[in-house]
Amino acid sequence: MTHKILITAAGSYGDVAPYTGVGARLREAGHEVALATHDTYADLVRAAGLEFRRLPADPRTRAHRPGAAGEAQPTAPAGGRTLMRQAAAFIKELGGGIADAAHEDTGLLLLSATTAPLGHHLAEALEIPSLDLPLVPSAPTGDFAPVVSGGRSLGRWGNRAAGRLSLRVIDRLYADATRDLRTRLGLPPAAPRTVRRRTEAAGRPVLHGFSEVLVPRPADWRTGLDVVGNWWPWHAPDTQLPPVVEDFLAAGPPPVFIGFGSMAGGDGERLSTLAVRALRRAGLRGILQSGWAGLTTRHTPEHADVLTIGDVPHALLFPRMSAVVHHCGAGTAAAGLRAKVPTVPVPVTADQPFWAHRLAALGAATAPIPFRELSADNAADRLAHALAQATAAPERRRHAAEAAHRLAAEDGAGEVLAAVERLRG
């Protein structure tokens, strides 16, 4: 029997799409690959030439999404207790789906941050190897606080202590799902903390799918925790921008991209009005990506300087922009750098403030504007000011271009391929 590699990833587009690039690279090297994720991304998975396997808890039909460190995050900020309940419910539903996704032909598990605490039990039951592929740093370090803490340092001792605490919080979130999954798999009872510590003690490799351009590998991490570079979402080599987008780009100077991805669901009308007002005040053209927020404006003579679009690969669109405004998810933040354009970060929740601060510290972004502050009376003026800063200062574009040069030298998917071939002997 030919053994397949099973990748498991759950959450929003940004939590899933990078693994299509990883899977396609493995497939091109001759491996058989399946990607287990939500129905929302079935077409994306199949287009990359991978077998689709279904995971439950589709985020498009729920009020939350899993965040970068395994915690469920809402599409708009919520209270801590509500967040924890949503997270635990999501994870419990996900646990059964993880077990269903692994068929008898599965020979290796590749696990995202959200699925890893479940996948480790599955690997134990099937007696097969697994490899963790998180998109954000999660191991405690003195260099920075946990990514969900907003990017503020607590000092080296405080950062490490907060990192250990965040792992214990994640253990609590996975407790019910772990109990149910281990029972289903016929494994002896074991708490998430026990399994996590056992995994850490084994010194297994963990490959992080982001670049040291933004987060240098902490010197106090154990051997085997590696930062390998970004995994870019797959798109067909012959993919082109839609004609309406090309026509809009040709009709004037490079516009500003504004989009919030899977964030701010149901807030589209207010955000669209705010975005158009800010663009006008800054004297700029704009492209609004509708996303889950539902940004929209009619492309009429009155709004000839603003275009609304659906899903378009950032790799094709961003290099044609004068600046990008977004929520600063890990993948979108890296895509802006890769395109050599400045960013105006508007972080909403989870790891987004962390990446926003990293971009600003690099000199490739303006100071972050927290999403909650877009409800203030002066929000349009503040956004317009940030747009002017991003598009008028050549230093930010220069810093972004320097970062892009370094990103181009990395081969994150190639590092995963090498690790997989070592594991498979």
Side-chain angles (χ1 to χ4, degrees), residues 64 70-73 82-92 173:
H64 62 271
E71 297 176 75
Q73 300 292 344
T82 299
L83 207 57
M84 293 287 283
R85 285 195 299 269
Q86 292 176 343
F90 176 92
I91 291 163
K92 190 170 183 179
L173 290 172

Side-chain angles (χ1 to χ4, degrees), residues 7-68:
I7 305 172
T8 62
S12 72
Y13 176 89
D15 300 315
V16 174
Y19 298 99
T20 63
V22 171
R25 184 65 171 273
L26 294 171
R27 177 182 55 77
E28 290 165 4
H31 296 282
E32 292 192 46
V33 185
L35 200 166
T37 187
H38 313 293
D39 289 332
T40 293
Y41 312 114
D43 291 344
L44 182 70
V45 171
R46 293 182 179 123
L50 312 176
E51 178 189 341
F52 170 75
R53 294 184 184 175
R54 180 182 182 276
L55 290 183
D58 194 317
R60 290 305 297 263
T61 61
R62 299 175 68 95
H64 62 271
R65 61 173 290 270

